[in-house]
Amino acid sequence: MSRRVIGFHYTLTDKAGTVIDSSVGDEPLVFLENSHQIIPGLEKVLVLLNVGDKRKIEVKAADAYGEINPEMIIKVKRTQFPPGANLQVGDQFQVNEDAHSPVFTVTELGADEVSVDGNHPMAGKDLFFDVELTTVRNATEEEIAHGHAHGAHGHGHH
């Protein structure tokens, strides 16, 4: 089965209708089918559409960035941070250089402890997309080998 490169415009909103992100006025988002580049609940619907199709898609948290994992919300001693670190609620950091390590967000500051959350900021949230499919084409062998789209609307060669 051949894999495809799919391009689409989107506006992402939360449950209240607040816009979180949008490609409108910019280039469409382009991805290689079955490459885990976009959330699974969105890809499941996009692969069924044709160029020009417009659709409103609700993606439940479990099919987006997952549910909140309480084990990823932890308290650490302030002494585990660099001496003199000026920590603020909302600061983000990774504990090591591994690109796949979770990003932790400081959620609460205490005198001796700091609460941090390693869940994705969108975890536990249902997402609402307004999409328009702009392109569908067969992926090249090179794109499949590299795991992403190339060309004018994909990633440049690396």
Side-chain angles (χ1 to χ4, degrees), residues 15 24 59 66 83 91 106 117 127:
K15 196 176 215 165
V24 176
V59 180
D91 285 353
V106 175
D117 186 346
L127 304 177

Side-chain angles (χ1 to χ4, degrees), residues 74-76 78 81 87 106 108-110 112-116:
I74 57 175
K75 290 185 186 277
V76 296
R78 270 196 184 258
F81 291 90
L87 297 174
V106 175
E108 191 178 327
L109 296 168
D112 298 322
E113 291 184 324
V114 177
S115 295
V116 296

Side-chain angles (χ1 to χ4, degrees), residues 3-151:
R3 290 170 68 192
R4 302 174 301 162
V5 171
I6 299 172
F8 67 102
H9 275 295
Y10 69 93
T11 298
L12 168 62
T13 59
D14 61 15
K15 196 176 215 165
T18 303
V19 174
I20 297 168
D21 195 15
S22 178
S23 68
V24 176
D26 203 352
E27 294 291 328
L29 182 63
V30 179
F31 70 97
L32 175 64
E33 186 176 29
N34 296 320
S35 61
H36 309 288
Q37 293 175 314
I38 65 171
I39 58 175
L42 181 59
E43 183 170 354
K44 263 190 251 181
V45 177
L46 291 176
V47 299
L48 301 175
L49 301 180
N50 297 305
V51 173
D53 286 353
K54 294 180 181 182
R55 189 79 36 102
K56 292 187 182 304
I57 304 167
E58 178 180 352
V59 180
K60 295 292 187 187
D63 286 330
Y65 293 96
E67 299 296 344
I68 293 174
N69 179 352
E71 292 179 12
M72 294 295 289
I73 302 170
I74 57 175
K75 290 185 186 277
V76 296
K77 296 200 177 302
R78 270 196 184 258
T79 56
Q80 291 194 251
F81 291 90
N86 183 21
L87 297 174
Q88 303 290 323
V89 170
D91 285 353
Q92 295 184 318
F93 63 92
Q94 278 184 295
V95 272
N96 61 45
E97 299 295 320
D98 181 358
H100 300 291
S101 293
V103 173
F104 285 87
T105 302
V106 175
T107 57
E108 191 178 327
L109 296 168
D112 298 322
E113 291 184 324
V114 177
S115 295
V116 296
D117 186 346
N119 287 289
H120 188 282
M122 301 298 282
K125 296 181 180 177
D126 296 339
L127 304 177
F128 302 84
F129 292 88
D130 194 349
V131 302
E132 178 180 2
L133 214 67
T134 59
T135 54
V136 177
R137 64 171 173 79
N138 287 332
T140 65
E141 288 181 25
E142 185 179 45
E143 288 171 320
I144 293 169
H146 289 177
H148 61 253
H150 291 173

